[in-house]
Amino acid sequence: MIRAVFLAHTAAPSGAELATLRLLSALRAEGVVDASMLLTADGPLVDRLRTRAIPVTVCPGDFDSRSLTRAGSGPLRLLTGAVALIRLGTRLGTTVRAHGAHVLVAQSTKALLMGAVAARRAGIPLVWQVHDRVSAEYFGSPLAVALRLLGRLTAQGLIANSRSTLHTLSTTGRAAVVAYPGVEAGPDLARAPQRDSSQVRIVMVGRLTPWKGQDVLLRALARMRHRPAAVHLVGGTFFGEQDYRAELERTATELGLPVEFTGHADDPAPYFAQADIAVHCSVLAEPFGQVVVEAMGAGCAVVAAGAGGPTEIIRPELDGLLTPPGDPGALAAALDRLVADPVLRTRLGTAARDRARDFTITATARAVTGLLEQVTARKAVAPR
Ligand code: GLC
């Protein structure tokens, strides 16, 4: 059995952390990887891990990652940042060694930095599980180059959440795999037939943050010929994004849009089950987009932004629609088309349900297991 410790710097229940939670459950259920979680911050994820009986250790600590990753930090700030990183990494390394871990899996770029020190200290390989596209549009060009290089220098294995994410990494001479973050097979929530054009309900699920593009949806709604009866924006603000929410609320009021802000939902499934149409409209290429699969699994007619992960999930006109990212006019046109045509919505929603079954968390766990076997040169044999 491979003992793997997954390292994260935040315990907020945002997309990457929820994907990790599901993955750890599935790895443990498969019985070939003894997966546990190591966090450097406390938060809601801790209870959710415990509820699922996933071993979790919180080893509180932080360092100024910006001092190391942004150009122009003064030498003193750089030195203080580096010292804090080495201290924390060393502490984590001791914990990881005490666990008898065979491999450490970093869940973010910050975790990669800490993990590099920790894995070295524990004398085990480091794997970088990449949830973000390491691209110039996301990180800025110098930082993207630096992170790619850092990954090359420190990680023996790479796990990407889509082909699109994998393309942003430097993989030569590295074990690398695409492991789509699958969804868990939950109870099929009953859904009403697609509503009449005058009654349509739209939902968008995602953290309220500018790059997820909730403002694009609001601007699209304002241009629509057939206004929907209700729009739910489901999502929390975790990383200092309250101003963005306030701005969205102002825009919705000014434009007189029927938008309700629900805040964060631990389980968005009931919102999808009650919606006719689900929208995804990130303005940057989405690394994967778990909400797209969740919406499809719930049988919604889905419109997503056609860049990154969603282009690997949706087959346009067959099981969903894609529109160019950041284009409210194109989104409004797609939504108008859907609202006006319940038959199209039904057809897309039905095909979407089937397509979502291709993205299971068991498949994710198997892909990750294969990579961990490669990196540790161990066979993940189930205990007798
Ligand atoms: C991050 C990405 C998102 C992906 C998730 C799980 O939150 O932004 O696209 O679905 O990680 O890998």
Side-chain angles (χ1 to χ4, degrees), residues 7 40 61-69 77-93 109-118 121 150 154:
L7 175 64
T40 55
D62 204 0
F63 66 97
D64 179 7
S65 56
R66 283 173 172 261
S67 69
L68 306 172
T69 51
R77 188 167 171 213
L78 200 71
L79 185 70
T80 323
V83 169
L85 166 63
I86 291 169
R87 282 220 181 109
L88 177 57
T90 308
R91 222 161 16 99
L92 295 171
T109 49
K110 198 163 178 182
L112 180 71
L113 284 164
M114 316 186 287
V117 181
R121 163 89 177 167
L150 183 75
T154 58

Side-chain angles (χ1 to χ4, degrees), residues 143-182:
L143 184 54
V145 172
L147 288 173
R148 238 171 258 143
L149 185 67
L150 183 75
R152 257 202 87 70
L153 294 175
T154 58
Q156 282 75 54
L158 299 163
I159 302 169
N161 59 1
S162 65
R163 289 200 304 273
S164 168
T165 296
L166 189 68
H167 283 146
T168 67
L169 303 170
S170 155
T171 55
T172 13
R174 288 282 171 283
V177 72
V178 171
Y180 291 119

Side-chain angles (χ1 to χ4, degrees), residues 280-292:
H280 162 279
C281 53
S282 293
V283 295
L284 301 181
E286 181 72 46
F288 176 66
Q290 298 172 98
V291 289
V292 173

